Amino acid sequence: MAETTAGVGRFKANYAIERKIEPFYRGGKAQLDQTGQHLFCVCGTKVNILDVASGALIRSLEQEDQEDITTFDLSPDDEVLVTASRALLLAQWAWREGSVTRLWKAIHTAPVASMAFDPTSTLLATGGCDGAVRVWDIVRHYGTHHFRGSPGVVHLVAFHPDPTRLLLFSAVDTTIRVWSLQDRTCLTVLTAHYSTVTSLSFSADGHTMLSSGRDKICMIWDLQSCQATRTVPVFESMEAAVLLPEEPLPVLGVKNSGLHFLTAGNQGILRVWEAASGQCVYTQPQMPGLRQELTHCTLARKSGLLLSVTADHNLLLYEACSLQLQKQFAGYSEEVLDVRFLGPKDSHIVVASNSNCLKVFELQTSACQILYGHTDIVLALDVFRKGWLFASCAKDQSIRIWRMNKAGQVACVAQGSGHTHSVGTICCSRLKESFLVTGSQDCTVKLWPLPEALLSKNSAVDSDPILLQAQTTQRCHDKDINSVAISPNDKLLATSSQDRTAKLWALPQCQLLGVFSGHQRGLWNVQFSPMDQVLATASADGTIKLWALQDFSCLKTFEGHDASVLKVAFVSRGSQLLSSGSDGLLKLWTIKSNECVRTLDAHEDKVWGLHCSKLDDHAVTGGSDSRVILWKDVTEAEQAEEQAKREEQVIKQQELDNLLHEKQYLRALGLAISLDRPHTVLTVIQAIQRDPEACEKLEATVLQLRQDQKEALLRFCVTWNTNSRHCHEAQAVLSVFLRNEAPEELLAYEGVRPALEALLPYTERHFQRLSRTLQAATFLDFLWHNMKLSPLPAAPPAL
């Protein structure tokens, strides 16, 4: 067989998690600090804080009640963060240290839905689902106001930017209420919107307020008279509107210092409007592909950054004066369907999730790029050999080829369509960047040659994607094609399907060479060995099979997964397999012995994506739990560590023998304890007891030990005491402790209580055994002394 693996590399024994890319934002509020250095966002029970420059997660803040966070707000001076949980508790944080400085009840009868600080960072307003608005003094720690009268959820609260005016605004459905903190009354109710009010924004001088709504209009309000001065139709359902600084911004079409505002809504495009004329003066260029609607938009004026959030939880940071995209963050990837290493040195990974956009992460800096182009969910990925080009396929029945430049920027360079159903699998040629093959739910595979223009280095980056044409189309199976694979020499194609078979085809004409039959359920994945004439298949029947390409016979079957095996990959130069399953497990198999040498458990759901690096020292996985995990091969490191431990043990054992020979019992006992081997310590205790002055030597030696060594010795005594052969040594050591240590000192030892609980029953049993032995010995002694011996016969008389 081809089981002999020519030039086999060393076997792998283990992988360790090097890093995780996990969800950090699942909807809700997101906020920048004034400097633009930190990004705050809600993720379930936590508020996550990200470093904007690196994209790294700095800290997660979670309240003691571990309930979902309903809202939060950061004070204007960036010093205080307050969170509200579903358990109606408010927590005040020193967020840089990650500690709670104050925790109090919200007094609302339903969860807090909105929250806002006043300009002085001393007052906090909370709006509840119970229709109430409360104001808190954060410095003196007491409630100052309680406003009732709002029939519904208070989803917006905001203070007037001039702290001397002492005005508070709240929004419930279509109405905006203006509250006077001084008079403790509602001054007026602003009614002009016909649908939910989604945002409030104030001019720098505090005379003007802008409100947006889902009724596709924005209202300009004069706060002196509390009257609407202008209605601006924006022709889309608004989620946020922000008043821009009153200064010319030619790039955004702002040519005078009049009032202008920026809107974000369900069309997914940022627009700039002139308030006076109601005209749109700037529209953000439409990115290729279907854009997600924007759900949030906020301006950090001091840093000049604009934060917008899409419906699929991507956070985009723009330069406010030009709307140039500065940073992208993928907050939540939903179900990860495929993942691949990218770049000639595997410096990036590309992720396909339950979305029409792709995410490219730079592993060193955590920087993220979001790639738009497909109009439906991307299902699969593959990368060409050099790592610069990669391909994607999607439910929109199309394929796209993307190129990454040396700066790490990715752009779509080619696209093609021709399948009549979703394209579920794709594979790139292995020798050269010459063609790719796709498989679809329409039961066909297509071979797509890459045009020369695509491979030329002079092709323009900004040019439109080249259109690809399929060269060969072949109906291969009777059911969905789940996987296609191209052999290392680009001459063979393997396909696997829901019809429980895999097939081998000759390229480029797709002539059938043979069928691999034997699995009991559909096949999810197929892979060629990089070294041998062998094919691996992964099936929903929970097994992996190896097949010979010459006669299509099954060579080996690997059983171990409790559910469907979704992906399989050859590692260690074809001598081992790495598989992932719908049980959330990864398994490492050695082909020659048919043995599963390691099971890796880090995912909580199906592991759809699995890919190994070019150097075969890393693997990356992605699953339905939204996690992308980078694994590192730690076999060499663990073997080196194990070898070093063995050498150290040999040296210490030799040193221990020398110390016992020289009767340096204290050092010998300390060394034996450091080895953490109870039997070795027992040997030292026995050696001490063999000394003629045993009792004094043992007591003097034990009492000179450090407390941590005494604690370890006490643990070892528990082990010895369970065996009648070693209980005498255990009792001797316990006797030293009990006679020389005060009860308070003994109780201060770590783990002393469970140790005592374990010692008592065995000690009682040994005592009873000794008592029975003593009774038997006393009875024997009694018998001996009371035995009546018959008198000796008298000596015969002498003649």
Side-chain angles (χ1 to χ4, degrees), residues 472-486:
T472 307
T473 300
Q474 177 68 47
R475 183 177 174 86
C476 295
H477 291 272
D478 297 327
K479 292 186 178 180
D480 296 359
I481 297 173
N482 289 331
S483 177
V484 293
I486 298 172

Side-chain angles (χ1 to χ4, degrees), residues 586-602:
L586 269 72
K587 288 183 179 288
L588 179 65
W589 311 83
T590 298
I591 292 175
K592 189 172 184 180
S593 63
N594 248 51
E595 178 190 7
C596 175
V597 295
R598 186 71 61 177
T599 298
L600 307 171
D601 186 4

Side-chain angles (χ1 to χ4, degrees), residues 60 63 214 327:
S60 291
Q63 293 186 192
R214 296 196 180 121
K327 287 279 183 181

